[in-house]
Amino acid sequence: MLGSRISLVALMVAAAPALQARAQETLPDIDIVATSPEAGAGIEKSKISTNPITISRNDLDRDHALTLTETLARRNASININEVAGNPFQPDVTYRGFSASPVSGTPQGLAIYQDGVRINEAFGDAVNWDLIPTVAIANGDIVSGNPLFGLNALGGALTLEMKNGFTWQGFEADGRGGSYGRRVGTLQYGRQIDNWAAYFAFEGIGDGGWRQRSGSSVLRGFADLGYKGDKTEFHLNFTGAGTRLGAAAATPVDLLPRGGYGSVFTTPQTTNNDLAFVNFKGAYEATNHLKFNGNAYFRQFQQEHVDGNLAGVETCSSQAFICQDNDPFLVNVPTNAQRRLRDVSGNLIPASVLAGGVPASVDKTKTDSRSFGFALQGTYDEAIFGFKNKLVVGGSHDRQHVDFRGYSELGVLQPDLSVASTGLVYQNAVPEGGFQQVSVGGRNFYWGVYALDTLDVTDKLTVTAGLRFNSADIALFDHRGVSLNSNAVYQRVNPVAGLTYNFLPEFTVYGNYSEANRAPTALENGCSDRLHPCMIDGFLVSDPPLKQVVARTWEVGFRGYHPIGPDNGRLDYHAGLFRTESTDDILALPSDVIQGRGYYANVGQTRRQGVEAGATWRNDFLALYADYALIDATFRNSMTLNSGDNPYADENGQIHVRPGNVLPGIPRHRVKLGFDYNITPEWKFGLDYVFTSGVHLAGDEANLDKTLPSWGIVNLKTSYKVMDNVEVYALVQNLFDRRYYTFGTYFESGALAGFSNPRTVGPGAPLAAYGGVKVRF
């Protein structure tokens, strides 16, 4: 079967009359790369002293991407995608081993910007990919080794520029449907009248989900009103979104054979996100060499999360009430009666409410955040003493306010592994048990000032130097009088220095050194005591502040291109080495006090280093690309961690990490290959292959257990222009229906009959096919 499918693909390509009709469309070179969050500071790619990744609108259109992460998953090997939340619209993205994740509690190591505004959320710095209107993205860059992008840019930053009526004009409608009940409709319209222009985009997506109870509804839109004069340009834009996402998370391996590849464990797991984001940005050309850019914004984000779980409680020995599991760390608690659970009215909860079932909980959280701020930047590019020079100076201020509420309802596990709530909101008689209701407020004040100078020492040698000062004032306020209060200020100056040398116009070598920092979030500072753990993604206790993370990165490499001639196309290539040393790195760790809870801690030093290499060849009708990345992500010091569900833990339920142990969840090897082929001027066909080596499970930081298997999948796409303004297309994901797992962890397998293996895994999406029609005028 596999051989016949490969033969079919080869026959489609080989039999095409490619030499009789070549398409005239070619991909434009992208020469300018962002060097700061604000527009106007970009420089030629040949002068960038790192290895940037450019994301063009053509890339997104060729992939018919519903989310930006779909293209990121296929095009660059330094990027890895997995669905920790079990939903395709909310994936985890890692770049060089640093995360940008929608899961609150994931240590975030990437800064994400939309039109100059950092969109990492106020509480936990999470990144909600589902809220970015994909159809409205004009282009983007992923840059490393540049502290000008501020907090969280440990591994790098992703900056996105959105469309407007000056850059995109016309009308386009796109409709799609296919596997698992997916239906998609997008509209966009842009028009310019004299000095004014308007752009509007809307996306509506419904998806039944290939896993049980994982359906999604996504509505998002973007609108921009702009004015452009001789020396000024202003834009007022709005991003709005409402998403309802079913999550499935990891599934025990014992459940997969009997429940099927799409089976899930302990539902409900749902997330509702709502966004209203207004941004006013402008540019002013004071002289031919002096330009100013700036923006002011307001962003409101709301999230409601419901999560069904097994509960760390049991029937008391008296058989009359519900008790918390025995906890050796709670001193002066001699009897079970003093650990009995009470409801919010203070009444003991009787065991009869469980009706003999397995105790569980429905954990609910609600986050309401409001952010506003501004940035101003000046760019001066007049030559100094005859040397070409570009100086960028800027600053920004952000104020974020968060209200967070969380509580648990006692539940009962059903035969289908869903959790039915009893309606009883419970709290523990012992406050440090972690079951008490939480209502807190968070406040973040961020200041940043930066400068970057790019000097052409010769026509071949360019030197870059700069720095950024970051100040983060982060506070947590208790609304219920449980003393969940904290306040900490983090400050640091981060430098950058680099050079490029163009041996030929077509060949460049580069080297760069930079530093960046990440301040602990209010969520992390509010849950940083081992003896007072909390439910990651939620419940907080009063804890000491953590130290900020500092990353130091070195990069060296080369890139270039070689024109082979008008008929034979052009070869582009790059290769590089990088190393990032992080001190006081923050990780989410499982509790050794209460099952199912956790805490955050500084774990010392970690290292992420590796090799990146790639090549692209293209001519008028065919483009081939290949990309490889080796990411070696390791701990650099010894530590002892709790991992009681890891079958290789010692008798105390602990694992012992040694220097050189690999960080879980980060693949060592990734390969991405593909081609796009114009069979005729109207008919296009493309294929891509993604290979990822296996990863260690979360909870196996000591690398005692086996890794998940390596995997590779093939995706196809084809489109046909019926007429100039009408195109039909088809997509096939995971052509050979490969069963694979992108991440894994452990759970308490002894809590349920029929479960003996503690490993749980996150399955990757199976074979799926979609078809659509795009109309443009």
Side-chain angles (χ1 to χ4, degrees):
M1 179 66 71
L2 176 62
S4 64
R5 287 174 173 172
I6 295 176
S7 299
L8 176 61
V9 173
L11 181 62
M12 290 177 65
V13 176
L19 297 179
Q20 297 179 13
R22 297 182 178 179
Q24 298 303 311
E25 179 183 357
T26 59
L27 299 180
D29 294 330
I30 300 177
D31 295 324
I32 304 300
V33 176
T35 58
S36 80
E38 293 298 312
I43 62 174
E44 297 91 336
K45 186 175 183 179
S46 62
K47 299 180 182 180
I48 296 289
S49 56
T50 61
N51 178 35
I53 299 171
T54 56
I55 306 159
S56 73
R57 183 67 239 178
N58 282 340
D59 294 332
L60 297 170
D61 287 340
R62 277 199 307 271
D63 295 334
H64 299 278
L66 284 184
T67 63
L68 170 66
T69 56
E70 290 183 15
T71 290
L72 295 179
R74 298 178 181 183
R75 294 283 167 176
N76 189 278
S78 296
I79 299 170
N80 183 58
I81 308 291
N82 62 58
E83 295 180 11
V84 172
N87 188 285
F89 302 102
Q90 282 279 48
D92 266 31
V93 176
T94 63
Y95 170 65
R96 294 183 172 180
F98 291 93
S99 294
S101 170
V103 179
S104 296
T106 300
Q108 309 287 344
L110 298 176
I112 313 298
Y113 286 85
Q114 178 181 323
D115 271 348
V117 178
R118 182 173 169 271
I119 60 173
N120 297 72
E121 302 298 351
F123 199 57
D125 283 333
V127 179
N128 291 294
W129 302 102
D130 57 307
L131 302 179
I132 303 175
T134 306
V135 69
I137 297 173
N139 55 68
D141 295 309
I142 299 177
V143 295
S144 60
N146 189 341
L148 268 66
F149 288 91
L151 297 173
N152 290 97
L154 303 179
L158 166 63
T159 177
L160 299 173
E161 181 182 347
M162 309 303 282
K163 294 176 181 176
N164 60 65
F166 296 115
T167 60
W168 197 97
Q169 296 165 16
F171 171 81
E172 182 180 276
D174 190 348
R176 182 187 316 180
S179 299
Y180 309 108
R182 177 169 292 184
R183 57 270 183 210
V184 180
T186 70
L187 296 170
Q188 58 178 328
Y189 174 77
R191 185 177 182 185
Q192 178 180 353
I193 302 176
D194 298 326
N195 291 8
W196 294 86
Y199 173 81
F200 168 80
F202 173 80
E203 295 174 312
I205 305 169
D207 192 293
W210 65 269
R211 294 180 71 184
Q212 300 167 11
R213 307 182 189 94
S214 64
S216 300
S217 171
V218 177
L219 297 175
R220 56 197 182 198
F222 178 82
D224 181 277
L225 177 64
Y227 170 84
K228 183 184 290 187
D230 293 337
K231 293 182 176 293
T232 59
E233 183 172 354
F234 297 100
H235 291 270
L236 177 64
N237 57 51
F238 173 78
T239 303
T243 64
R244 306 293 180 262
L245 309 175
T251 298
V253 295
D254 285 339
L255 181 60
L256 290 172
R258 62 177 186 263
Y261 188 63
S263 58
V264 298
F265 186 65
T266 63
T267 57
Q269 297 181 52
T270 61
T271 300
N272 296 342
N273 292 329
D274 292 288
L275 172 70
F277 173 24
V278 180
N279 186 25
F280 178 75
K281 63 176 186 174
Y284 172 66
E285 185 177 347
T287 70
N288 290 336
H289 299 285
L290 179 60
K291 300 176 179 64
F292 293 97
N293 294 82
N295 73 284
Y297 74 93
F298 173 80
R299 179 182 173 91
Q300 180 164 334
F301 168 69
Q302 294 179 322
Q303 181 179 81
E304 294 183 359
H305 183 63
V306 179
D307 191 5
N309 293 290
L310 295 178
V313 299
E314 59 188 11
T315 302
C316 300
S317 56
S318 64
Q319 303 297 312
F321 299 102
I322 301 297
C323 285
Q324 179 188 346
D325 287 339
N326 185 39
D327 180 1
F329 286 91
L330 297 180
V331 297
N332 301 320
V333 183
T335 66
N336 272 336
Q338 290 176 289
R339 288 191 294 274
R340 293 173 180 170
L341 292 184
R342 300 178 183 271
D343 62 25
V344 292
S345 300
N347 302 314
L348 293 172
I349 299 179
S352 59
V353 301
L354 298 176
V358 176
S361 66
V362 179
D363 304 310
K364 298 183 178 182
T365 63
K366 183 175 181 179
T367 305
D368 187 347
S369 66
R370 301 159 306 283
S371 305
F372 57 94
F374 63 87
L376 181 64
Q377 174 182 283
T379 305
Y380 184 71
D381 62 2
E382 188 169 12
I384 297 178
F385 301 113
F387 297 102
K388 290 183 179 180
N389 188 74
K390 188 167 189 176
L391 174 64
V392 178
V393 178
S396 63
H397 177 54
D398 300 273
R399 303 173 75 90
Q400 301 175 332
H401 300 271
V402 181
D403 290 315
F404 174 85
R405 287 174 285 169
Y407 63 92
S408 289
E409 296 177 356
L410 185 65
V412 182
L413 191 67
Q414 303 300 296
D416 64 354
L417 300 181
S418 65
V419 176
S421 174
T422 63
L424 293 173
V425 178
Y426 63 92
Q427 60 184 1
N428 199 318
V430 183
E432 55 264 46
F435 291 108
Q436 72 271 25
Q437 296 181 77
V438 171
S439 178
V440 298
R443 185 263 293 150
N444 307 325
F445 292 166
Y446 298 141
W447 287 94
V449 180
Y450 58 85
L452 182 74
D453 192 74
T454 303
L455 177 67
D456 291 351
V457 179
T458 71
D459 59 352
K460 297 179 178 294
L461 176 64
T462 299
V463 176
T464 300
L467 52 83
R468 174 166 177 140
F469 169 73
N470 289 325
S471 177
D473 183 351
I474 300 170
L476 190 68
F477 308 102
D478 181 26
H479 294 326
R480 295 179 56 84
V482 194
S483 299
L484 309 184
N485 299 305
S486 66
N487 191 18
V489 177
Y490 301 91
Q491 295 180 337
R492 196 171 198 280
V493 176
N494 295 314
V496 59
L499 59 84
T500 61
Y501 191 84
N502 297 320
F503 284 96
L504 297 169
E506 302 88 1
F507 181 75
T508 301
V509 297
Y510 63 85
N512 192 80
Y513 171 78
S514 67
E515 299 181 6
N517 73 302
R518 178 172 88 82
T521 66
L523 172 61
E524 291 168 332
N525 272 343
C527 185
S528 59
D529 189 340
R530 181 181 66 86
L531 296 181
H532 298 156
C534 46
M535 180 170 293
I536 303 291
D537 187 37
F539 300 89
L540 307 176
V541 293
S542 180
D543 295 324
L546 296 166
K547 300 177 182 178
Q548 64 182 335
V549 185
V550 177
R552 297 172 174 87
T553 300
W554 295 261
E555 291 187 54
V556 294
F558 64 86
R559 57 176 171 264
Y561 64 92
H562 180 62
I564 306 176
D567 294 330
N568 297 314
R570 164 175 154 166
L571 176 68
D572 291 81
Y573 54 88
H574 69 89
L577 306 173
F578 72 90
R579 171 180 286 184
T580 300
E581 302 274 1
S582 298
T583 56
D584 296 318
D585 209 351
I586 298 173
L587 293 183
L589 304 176
S591 170
D592 54 357
V593 176
I594 300 177
Q595 178 69 31
R597 299 299 192 261
Y599 65 102
Y600 300 94
N602 294 113
V603 298
Q605 186 172 337
T606 59
R607 174 186 294 167
R608 295 161 177 85
Q609 63 183 0
V611 179
E612 299 170 326
T616 300
W617 175 82
R618 62 187 178 186
N619 63 13
D620 289 341
F621 63 90
L622 177 63
L624 303 170
Y625 67 90
D627 214 68
Y628 168 75
L630 182 152
I631 310 293
D632 178 43
T634 58
F635 295 97
R636 305 313 303 166
N637 54 302
S638 300
M639 70 186 85
T640 297
L641 302 176
N642 178 67
S643 188
D645 294 326
N646 187 327
Y648 297 96
D650 63 20
E651 63 275 9
N652 297 316
Q654 295 179 326
I655 58 177
H656 306 282
V657 178
R658 298 290 181 261
N661 284 150
V662 175
L663 273 68
I666 301 174
R668 183 174 178 82
H669 301 282
R670 287 193 289 268
V671 177
K672 298 182 181 180
L673 311 171
F675 69 83
D676 292 289
Y677 185 48
N678 295 355
I679 299 174
T680 71
E682 296 79 23
W683 185 15
K684 301 177 182 179
F685 178 80
L687 174 149
D688 61 77
Y689 172 73
V690 178
F691 169 84
T692 300
S693 60
V695 299
H696 285 280
L697 277 65
D700 188 30
E701 286 78 5
N703 303 165
L704 303 172
D705 200 356
K706 63 182 179 180
T707 64
L708 294 174
S710 301
W711 55 270
I713 60 172
V714 175
N715 305 299
L716 302 181
K717 57 181 177 288
T718 186
S719 63
Y720 187 82
K721 231 177 213 188
V722 179
M723 56 185 70
D724 287 343
N725 57 346
V726 179
E727 176 185 79
V728 295
Y729 61 90
L731 311 170
V732 178
Q733 298 176 356
N734 193 358
L735 174 65
F736 303 122
D737 201 20
R738 175 72 183 269
R739 296 295 191 258
Y740 65 101
Y741 309 101
T742 62
F743 79 102
T745 186
Y746 300 99
F747 84 117
E748 190 179 7
S749 57
L752 292 175
F755 292 86
S756 59
N757 192 329
R759 289 165 64 97
T760 71
V761 292
L767 171 69
Y770 309 99
V773 179
K774 181 184 291 187
V775 178
R776 180 171 182 179
F777 297 96

